[in-house]
Amino acid sequence: QSALTQPRSVSGSPGQSVTISCTGTSSDVGGYNYVSWYQQHPGKAPKLMIYDVSKRPSGVPDRFSGSKSGNTASLTISGLQAEDEADYYCCSYAGSYTFDVFGGGTKLTVL
Amino acid sequence: QVQLQESGPGLVKPSQTLSLTCTVSGGSISSGSYYWSWIRQPAGKGLEWIGRIYTSGSTNYNPSLKSRVTISVDTSKNQFSLKLSSVTAADTAVYYCASSPLRYAFDIWGQGTMVTVSS
């Protein structure tokens, strides 16, 4: 069982927007602004899409955005494209004992 | 641009020690301030953070693995390494090395290496 809870799957049509949630506790997501999101295509290494809740690394399209409210972080992908179909994982810093915890992952299907 | 490459045995016997190395290219492991991390992923499952080492040499480990994990740096070879002792079949996974410039995220990833624990 993962420390952070994500929906197992979400789907959307090209051009639409989808939001993936990541629910933790006040000891991780709610306690720090250190949530990151990763995209993983089959057989590939994960790719950083969002860090520090809402910051995008250079090269990541602005269709990807992150936010947080209380103990739940969210990744929103707008203007869905076929290449966005992948698994998405959230991760949060959880203090100086547990350090980093991941969510169980969400499979995004572009219909 | 820094690149990472994992290497090590693909098959380890139960109760033995898993040893992997991550070679850093395109930059020096001892320059600047970075976190150098290990993360694993069992087949068909999610990601699990194993631990990290700072450029200074200090380490942080996943509490569930802490008693079995050692991460170290070899600046002369521009590498950092993972040792996981007393392995069982539950340690079978793709192991990734990753790095980040002193933030709680994993910016750069290696391609991953599959390790199977079996007799």
Side-chain angles (χ1 to χ4, degrees):
Chain A
Q1 184 176 354
S2 301
L4 306 179
T5 301
Q6 299 181 233
R8 295 200 67 173
S9 63
V10 297
S11 63
S13 299
Q16 289 186 333
S17 294
V18 295
T19 297
I20 300 171
S21 62
C22 170
T23 301
T25 69
S26 58
S27 296
D28 38 63
V29 174
Y32 306 93
N33 289 322
Y34 296 133
V35 176
S36 53
W37 289 90
Y38 303 86
Q39 176 192 66
Q40 186 179 36
H41 289 109
K44 300 295 186 181
K47 175 186 176 183
L48 177 65
M49 305 303 284
I50 296 287
Y51 68 97
D52 292 355
V53 175
S54 61
K55 298 177 181 176
R56 273 189 313 276
S58 174
V60 172
D62 60 6
R63 302 186 296 105
F64 292 83
S65 63
S67 62
K68 189 184 85 167
S69 178
N71 296 336
T72 298
S74 298
L75 173 71
T76 299
I77 309 170
S78 58
L80 267 181
Q81 299 181 2
E83 60 260 35
D84 298 334
E85 184 163 294
D87 293 326
Y88 290 84
Y89 293 90
C90 63
C91 182
S92 176
Y93 179 69
S96 58
Y97 176 73
T98 307
F99 299 105
D100 293 329
V101 291
F102 281 95
T106 298
K107 181 175 180 57
L108 168 63
T109 300
V110 180
L111 301 170
Chain B
Q1 172 74 343
V2 170
Q3 293 184 311
L4 306 177
Q5 178 67 60
E6 306 88 350
S7 60
L11 181 64
V12 181
K13 289 182 167 49
S15 80
Q16 293 191 341
T17 296
L18 178 160
S19 296
L20 296 175
T21 296
C22 184
T23 300
V24 179
S25 59
S28 171
I29 199 169
S30 56
S31 69
S33 297
Y34 281 83
Y35 298 151
W36 308 97
S37 301
W38 288 96
I39 296 155
R40 69 181 183 180
Q41 184 174 35
K45 296 187 178 181
L47 300 165
E48 180 180 30
W49 178 74
I50 297 170
R52 70 165 65 89
I53 188 165
Y54 298 77
T55 305
S56 64
S58 61
T59 54
N60 300 138
Y61 298 130
N62 184 323
S64 69
L65 299 170
K66 185 175 182 178
S67 63
R68 299 194 291 132
V69 173
T70 302
I71 297 175
S72 59
V73 167
D74 186 337
T75 55
S76 67
K77 296 182 179 179
N78 222 32
Q79 297 174 335
F80 63 105
S81 299
L82 168 71
K83 291 188 185 300
L84 180 66
S85 64
S86 305
V87 297
T88 69
D91 296 310
T92 294
V94 175
Y95 285 75
Y96 294 99
C97 58
S99 72
S100 60
L102 282 191
R103 57 180 171 220
Y104 292 113
F106 307 103
D107 290 58
I108 300 171
W109 295 67
Q111 66 183 29
T113 187
M114 178 69 201
V115 178
T116 300
V117 178
S118 175
S119 55

